[in-house]
Amino acid sequence: MALPALQEWHDFYLMIGTASGAIVGATFVVATLAANIEKRKIGITGFITPTTVHLGSVLVGSAILTAPILSALVLAIVLGLGALAGAIYGVVIWTRITQLKIDWIDRFWYGILPILAYVLLGVSAWLMFAAFEPGLELIALAVVMLLVAGIRNAWDMATFMVMGGPSAPDNKP
């Protein structure tokens, strides 16, 4: 049986998915800028790729949530597995970036917030299966958290590259 309340969210997920897809394209531009920067491996594996993965999660999640027929069981399984994978990936990224000399605000946006969003997504998918009424709102909150983190991080990376990357005088420890 399909979730009729999910149809009310169709335009929301269509808009969120479109926004995340556009920002994924912008991160490709940032990756191109990073190609000429020294120390680019940690930049790509620690910052650019995770941001693209989180935005891709928003895009895929939005595609799933705009599917015409979606049962509570399918929603719980698909979003739950995606949330688990995202949370594990977030922990891997957290361990990478904590080895760097970066501000706590960047550790929050690149590491902590995405992990929290994936955990919330997993919990809310289970709550939807358990017929908990605010489950759809919590799923939307988790997706928006990932989108906002992606927007902020894409902007952070772009400004970092424009300012000269790690070789700029202001970016040296």
Side-chain angles (χ1 to χ4, degrees), residues 69-87:
I69 299 175
L70 190 63
S71 70
L73 177 61
V74 170
L75 179 71
I77 291 171
V78 173
L79 292 183
L81 289 174
L84 178 63

Side-chain angles (χ1 to χ4, degrees), residues 2-163:
L3 295 168
L6 195 52
Q7 286 300 320
E8 296 173 14
W9 289 87
H10 183 271
D11 291 345
F12 171 81
Y13 287 110
L14 187 64
M15 180 186 72
I16 295 296
T18 302
S20 66
I23 299 165
V24 166
T27 59
F28 292 152
V29 173
V30 173
T32 302
L33 292 173
N36 296 323
I37 302 292
E38 56 189 67
K39 298 182 184 177
R40 66 180 172 224
K41 183 175 190 258
I42 191 62
I44 291 173
T45 61
F47 302 103
I48 296 172
T49 299
T51 299
T52 305
V53 167
H54 302 320
L55 290 167
S57 295
V58 172
L59 181 60
V60 170
S62 295
I64 291 166
L65 290 161
T66 56
I69 299 175
L70 190 63
S71 70
L73 177 61
V74 170
L75 179 71
I77 291 171
V78 173
L79 292 183
L81 289 174
L84 178 63
I88 291 169
Y89 182 68
V91 170
V92 169
I93 296 308
W94 171 255
T95 58
R96 282 185 194 158
I97 66 172
T98 54
Q99 299 170 4
L100 304 172
K101 295 178 183 176
I102 61 172
D103 297 336
W104 273 101
I105 193 74
D106 285 333
R107 290 177 190 224
F108 172 78
W109 284 100
Y110 286 101
I112 296 170
L113 187 64
I115 293 169
L116 292 174
Y118 286 118
V119 168
L120 178 60
L121 183 62
V123 168
S124 57
W126 180 81
L127 291 173
M128 279 301 306
F129 179 70
F132 183 66
E133 192 64 29
L136 287 173
E137 287 83 1
L138 294 176
I139 291 171
L141 176 61
V143 170
V144 168
M145 287 169 63
L146 287 170
L147 180 62
V148 169
I151 291 168
R152 185 267 176 203
N153 293 343
W155 178 253
D156 181 64
M157 290 181 294
T159 57
F160 181 73
M161 295 302 162
V162 168
M163 299 304 287

